[in-house]
C-alpha cells in the first residue's frame, strides 16, 4: 500500500516540478517546496483514507471471491470513478479515479510480483 502511494506521489512531484518551473529561481523553488509540503500532507491523508475505506475492503473481497486478477482492481477503480462522479464533476472524478486506478495496479503488482493478468 505504501509503495503504491509513494510511486504515484513521486509522479505528481515530477509533474509539478516540470510544469511549475520549480527551480528557475530561488523564489519559485521556495514556492514549489511549500506547494509540495501541503500537497504531500493532503495527498497522503486522502490516499490512506481511500485505502482504508475502499481499497483494503475491496482487496479482501477480490482475494476471497475471485482469482485476484488485475481486471478486478480496474473494475473497482471504475466503480470508484462512478461514485465520485455522482457527487462531483467529471474533472474531479477523472483525477481521483485515475489516482485510484494507478495505486491499485501498483499495489497489485507489488503484492504478487507478477506482471501478467491472471
Amino acid at each position: 500500500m505504501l509503495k503504491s502511494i509513494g510511486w504515484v506521489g513521486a509522479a505528481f512531484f515530477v509533474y509539478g516540478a516540470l510544469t511549475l518551473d520549480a527551480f528557475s529561481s530561488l523564489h519559485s523553488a521556495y514556492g514549489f517546496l511549500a506547494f509540495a509540503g501541503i500537497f504531500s500532507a493532503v495527498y497522503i491523508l486522502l490516499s490512506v483514507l481511500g485505502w482504508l475505506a475502499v481499497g483494503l475492503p475491496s482487496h479482501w473481497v477480490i482475494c476471497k471471491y475471485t482469482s485476484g486478477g488485475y481486471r478486478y482492481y480496474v473494475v473497482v477503480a471504475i466503480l470508484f470513478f462512478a461514485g465520485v462522479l455522482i457527487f462531483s464533476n467529471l474533472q474531479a472524478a477523472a483525477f481521483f479515479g485515475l489516482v485510484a486506478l494507478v495505486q491499485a495496479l501498483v499495489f497489485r503488482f507489488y503484492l504478487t510480483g507478477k506482471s501478467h493478468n491472471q
Side-chain angles (χ1 to χ4, degrees), residues 43-118:
Y43 170 74
I44 290 170
L45 176 68
L46 289 177
S47 291
V48 169
L49 290 176
W51 273 102
L52 292 175
V54 178
L56 293 177
S58 299
H59 170 67
W60 181 81
V61 169
I62 288 170
C63 288
K64 185 158 178 75
Y65 298 109
T66 71
S67 64
Y70 283 99
R71 63 186 169 272
Y72 299 108
Y73 291 88
V74 172
V75 168
V76 170
I78 291 170
L79 293 174
F80 180 74
F81 166 82
V84 173
L85 186 59
I86 290 171
F87 297 107
S88 186
N89 59 21
L90 181 62
Q91 292 82 10
F95 175 76
F96 289 114
L98 182 63
V99 169
L101 174 65
V102 174
Q103 283 187 3
L105 294 178
V106 171
F107 173 77
R108 169 64 172 80
F109 177 79
Y110 278 112
L111 186 67
T112 62
K114 297 177 186 174
S115 61
H116 60 82
N117 195 0
Q118 291 183 351

Side-chain angles (χ1 to χ4, degrees), residues 5-25:
I5 292 172
W7 278 111
V8 176
F12 278 126
F13 279 116
V14 170
Y15 177 76
L18 295 175
T19 59
L20 296 176
D21 198 23
F23 302 106
S24 62
S25 70

